[in-house]
Amino acid sequence: MEAVGENPYESRADISEASTKEVSVYGTNNDVADFFDEVDEIKKIVRRYDQNIDTIESLHKQALSEISGEQETYTREQIGSLANETSALSQSLKDRIKSLQSRSTRDSTKKTQAENLKRQFMNAIQRYQTVEATFRQKYREQAERQFRIVRPEATDAEVKAAIEDVQGEQIFSQALRTSNRRGEAQTALSEVQTRHREIQKIEQTMAELAQLFHDMELLVAEQEAPVQHVEKHTEQVQVDVEQGMGHTSKAVVFARAARKKKWWCLLICLIIIILAVCIPVGIWASNNNKKD
């Protein structure tokens, strides 16, 4: 006996085909779910990246106002540790966004999500660059003030040499020997040396950020190239189809014209045949009538 609700006419092949379709649908859904899970994870990392920038900015402000040497040293260590962590995050973000873009070239919704994440990350990079540039200038200004404690009459070129140039420490040491306030001068030297190191670290970070931003721009170009190739290929296919349709239309027109010509030729042939038959018959009938 057949089970209640069972279709006795449903073949095993139909059941197998339905099962295959179901697996295919679930596979597609899983791919979409994995994609958007990755989007959520990248968003979390971008938020953490932004939070690190906020913390680095706060620590820079704190370092500029520290009085105790121990506190300042601890703050600088925090800045260095957080900068290293942020650098690692940036590399992870670059790789994951690149992977995400490669998975979204044929889906407009996915492509929009990937582009939004890329734009958010590049905005964060630019904000980090702005923060570092701002505090590089502030560290420089503070170092200049410290140097002028020892050399109030120093020219701008001498101040710049003391803060940036390779021979800066030597210039500062010479200033120490000629200064009447050696205690203040020694403190100033320590401050300038510290700020010099901070400026160097900031400049290194800014160089890395510039390279990172450049890499993201190249990443966009790399992803656009295959898309443009696909679009160009699609446009060419469309042109070929339109040309093919044009040729087909012309062929139809030519075929119709040929058929019309054929019918006209057939009609002319019939008229000629009719005339060829009717004229002799008419002449023969006319001759007989004359004899009668």
Side-chain angles (χ1 to χ4, degrees):
M1 294 181 63
E2 297 294 336
V4 178
E6 182 179 353
N7 183 1
Y9 302 102
E10 185 176 17
S11 66
R12 292 183 179 274
D14 294 336
I15 296 174
S16 176
E17 183 179 357
S19 300
T20 302
K21 289 181 179 179
E22 184 177 3
V23 171
S24 177
V25 171
Y26 284 139
T28 301
N29 288 338
N30 286 338
D31 179 66
V32 173
D34 290 343
F35 182 88
F36 283 98
D37 285 344
E38 178 68 2
V39 169
D40 290 337
E41 287 298 319
I42 293 176
K43 285 181 178 179
K44 291 178 183 178
I45 300 175
V46 172
R47 285 196 294 269
R48 184 176 174 185
Y49 190 88
D50 276 322
Q51 291 171 356
N52 282 7
I53 295 172
D54 292 336
T55 305
I56 289 172
E57 182 178 15
S58 177
L59 289 172
H60 277 313
K61 292 179 181 178
Q62 186 176 337
L64 285 169
S65 61
E66 291 286 5
I67 299 177
S68 169
E70 293 181 359
Q71 291 178 346
E72 186 176 358
T73 300
Y74 178 69
T75 301
R76 289 200 306 271
E77 290 175 353
Q78 284 183 303
I79 293 173
S81 176
L82 201 56
N84 291 336
E85 178 186 330
T86 307
S87 177
L89 288 178
S90 66
Q91 184 61 44
S92 175
L93 282 169
K94 185 182 75 172
D95 294 340
R96 296 178 78 161
I97 291 174
K98 179 179 180 179
S99 174
L100 204 66
Q101 285 193 313
S102 66
R103 295 166 58 185
S104 63
T105 54
R106 297 185 179 181
D107 189 314
S108 59
T109 302
K110 291 181 179 179
K111 184 177 180 180
T112 300
Q113 292 291 329
E115 287 295 316
N116 287 339
L117 288 174
K118 180 262 300 178
R119 184 170 57 254
Q120 291 174 18
F121 180 40
M122 294 182 74
N123 288 340
I125 295 172
Q126 288 181 312
R127 189 167 75 88
Y128 194 5
Q129 288 176 310
T130 301
V131 168
E132 292 293 87
T134 298
F135 282 95
R136 178 184 61 178
Q137 183 61 29
K138 290 185 177 181
Y139 283 130
R140 187 191 306 275
E141 291 171 354
Q142 189 178 67
E144 289 175 358
R145 289 194 297 270
Q146 293 296 331
F147 183 78
R148 290 189 185 279
I149 292 175
V150 182
R151 292 281 305 277
E153 74 285 357
T155 64
D156 291 341
E158 290 173 334
V159 173
K160 181 178 180 180
I163 296 171
E164 295 182 351
D165 294 350
V166 177
Q167 300 298 325
E169 185 174 349
Q170 180 180 352
I171 294 173
F172 208 103
S173 298
Q174 292 174 354
L176 276 175
R177 289 194 295 269
T178 61
S179 174
N180 295 326
R181 298 177 294 180
R182 297 187 61 85
E184 292 181 7
Q186 187 64 46
T187 301
L189 172 60
S190 178
E191 288 286 340
V192 170
Q193 289 174 335
T194 299
R195 298 311 171 210
H196 177 68
R197 288 192 295 268
E198 293 300 320
I199 291 170
Q200 286 182 318
K201 290 178 182 178
I202 287 176
E203 288 177 345
Q204 180 180 354
T205 300
M206 291 182 66
E208 292 173 357
L209 290 172
Q211 182 61 48
L212 176 61
F213 193 87
H214 179 66
D215 291 344
M216 293 301 297
E217 287 182 325
L218 290 181
L219 172 62
V220 175
E222 289 173 2
Q223 294 299 328
E224 285 180 350
V227 174
Q228 291 175 353
H229 175 72
V230 171
E231 291 177 349
K232 184 177 180 180
H233 180 69
T234 303
E235 291 174 358
Q236 185 60 44
V237 170
Q238 181 65 24
V239 170
D240 292 341
V241 170
E242 291 175 355
Q243 289 179 348
M245 292 178 66
H247 293 326
T248 302
S249 299
K250 291 180 180 178
V252 171
V253 172
F254 291 152
R256 288 176 179 174
R259 283 197 296 270
K260 288 181 180 180
K261 291 178 180 178
K262 183 169 67 177
W263 283 111
W264 278 109
C265 290
L266 181 60
L267 180 60
I268 291 171
C269 289
L270 287 174
I271 292 173
I272 292 172
I273 292 171
I274 292 171
L275 291 174
V277 172
C278 291
I279 289 173
V281 171
I283 294 172
W284 178 78
S286 177
N287 292 334
N288 286 339
N289 289 335
K290 288 180 180 179
K291 289 180 181 181
D292 294 338

